[in-house]
Amino acid sequence: MSAQAQMRALLDQLMGTSRDGDETRQRVKFTDERVCKSHLLNCCPHDILSGTRMDLGECAKTHDLALRADYEIASKERDLFFELDAVDHLESFIADCDRRTELAKKRLVETQDEISAEVAEKAETVHELNEEIGKLLAKAEQLGAEGNVDEAQKVLQEVEKVRSRKRDAEEEYRNSMPASSFQQQKLRVCEVCSAYLGLHDNDRRLADHFGGKLHLGFIQIREKLEALKKTVLEKQEKRNQDRLKRREEREKEEKMKKKTKSRSRERSREHRRSSSRDRRRRRSRSSSREKRRSSRSRSRDRERRRRHRSRSRSKGGRHSHEPSSRHKSSRDRDRSSRDRSRERSRKRGSSEQRQDSRDQNGRTDSRRAEVRDRDL
């Protein structure tokens, strides 16, 4: 890659697809299914293992550093959960690697001479010490490349200690089996990258393997897979907590709404009750007023009748000797009316008697006159 292409890739990685207004590049968004989500998260095996013995070639999906920059900008604002796609991709890749490792182990069992369990245990101890030496040497080389010379020296001292333990383990392994069998190379499959390791490999070979791009690439992929799983679990837990919080908030809101509804209903009921009580009170007050008014009117009527009777009795008291009373009953009123009618009838009868007596006197006078006329 030329220096210009490197600068262009660096600008894409920093500024995204819209750095120079190129609309053709903006047609493909980082959310498109054709874009590799593992590449956006910087863990695609096609990128990590490129240039190694297990180079996978180009990825079937789109790889673009500008799209990765767009994703990093968008992921700060919201969760896109591309980790799920990356986890599925890496899990399938690691599962294929583990299947190859198991097949290689079976192949070694079929091709190599069978040894006893004790010898196999001692050989396994030598392999573990070789692996430890290789990791320490790779770490020392990395520290030296970074400029940490003192730390690299400390690691080399640890390497010497492990080498002494390895010599002791190899001596035990050599003494446990015949010399002819000991000279045969005993292979072992690396659990990380499924590569073959020899029991008699020197330190340089071990350091090249454990510090090589293939082994470190598989370590990076496996560590990235574990980190993504942890991130997915954390995000799922956070999402569940957010859902629970939203559900609790909705339940609280519903409870508050129910409470407000019940309160409003209770208030309306209380208002209706109070209004009904007020109406009853007004009705009772109006009825009491009517009763008072009617009683007052009746009392006024009684007073008027009493006054009228008192006036009439005062006028008729000169001709009658009946005692007057301030408060008479209906029976007294009837009696007085009967007395008045009797008085009228008596007066009428006395007038008639006087008239009869006058007529009778007139007739007698006429008879006397007739008798006188006859005598003459």
Side-chain angles (χ1 to χ4, degrees), residues 20 44 53 237 252 259:
D20 53 357
C44 183
R53 183 173 55 85
E237 185 177 359
K252 288 181 180 179
K259 287 182 180 179

Side-chain angles (χ1 to χ4, degrees), residues 22-216:
D22 189 358
E23 296 181 356
T24 58
R25 297 182 64 188
Q26 294 181 12
R27 292 177 184 175
V28 179
K29 304 295 182 180
F30 67 91
T31 56
D32 198 313
E33 294 182 355
R34 295 172 293 177
V35 178
C36 180
K37 303 304 185 292
S38 299
H39 170 72
L40 297 179
L41 293 168
N42 195 20
C43 60
C44 183
H46 294 267
D47 293 336
I48 295 174
L49 300 179
S50 63
T52 63
R53 183 173 55 85
M54 292 184 65
D55 192 344
L56 301 174
E58 292 185 0
C59 183
K61 294 187 176 183
T62 303
H63 284 203
D64 193 345
L65 295 176
L67 295 176
R68 182 188 294 177
D70 293 342
Y71 165 72
E72 290 175 354
I73 294 171
S75 62
K76 294 177 181 179
E77 299 178 356
R78 66 183 189 278
D79 290 332
L80 300 170
F81 289 95
F82 286 173
E83 291 84 0
L84 295 172
D85 297 332
V87 166
D88 293 337
H89 184 198
L90 296 183
E91 280 183 344
S92 63
F93 177 76
I94 294 298
D96 292 338
C97 182
D98 291 339
R99 282 194 294 271
R100 288 195 298 270
T101 301
E102 294 298 327
L103 290 174
K105 287 181 180 180
K106 290 180 181 179
R107 195 178 299 113
L108 286 177
V109 171
E110 293 174 357
T111 56
Q112 292 186 137
D113 296 335
E114 186 177 358
I115 57 179
S116 63
E118 182 180 0
V119 176
E121 184 179 358
K122 292 179 180 180
E124 184 68 22
T125 303
V126 175
H127 279 299
E128 290 177 357
L129 293 172
N130 284 336
E131 183 175 353
E132 188 175 356
I133 290 171
K135 290 179 179 179
L136 290 174
L137 289 174
K139 184 178 179 180
E141 290 180 359
Q142 183 178 0
L143 290 172
E146 294 175 355
N148 297 326
V149 180
D150 296 335
E151 296 293 332
Q153 291 294 330
K154 292 179 180 178
V155 172
L156 290 175
Q157 292 176 3
E158 293 180 4
V159 169
E160 291 298 327
K161 294 178 181 179
V162 176
R163 281 174 179 171
S164 63
R165 289 164 52 195
K166 177 187 174 182
R167 285 192 292 268
D168 296 337
E170 285 179 345
E171 187 67 24
E172 291 181 1
Y173 173 70
R174 186 183 298 109
N175 295 330
S176 62
M177 60 186 310
S180 58
S181 300
F182 178 77
Q183 293 299 328
Q184 294 179 0
Q185 181 68 279
K186 297 295 180 181
L187 298 178
R188 181 192 178 194
V189 180
C190 180
E191 298 290 342
V192 176
C193 60
S194 68
Y196 290 104
L197 297 175
L199 184 65
H200 303 296
D201 288 342
N202 55 23
D203 295 343
R204 185 69 266 166
R205 169 73 176 81
L206 296 173
D208 291 340
H209 171 76
F210 289 105
K213 188 176 180 180
L214 178 64
H215 188 83
L216 295 177

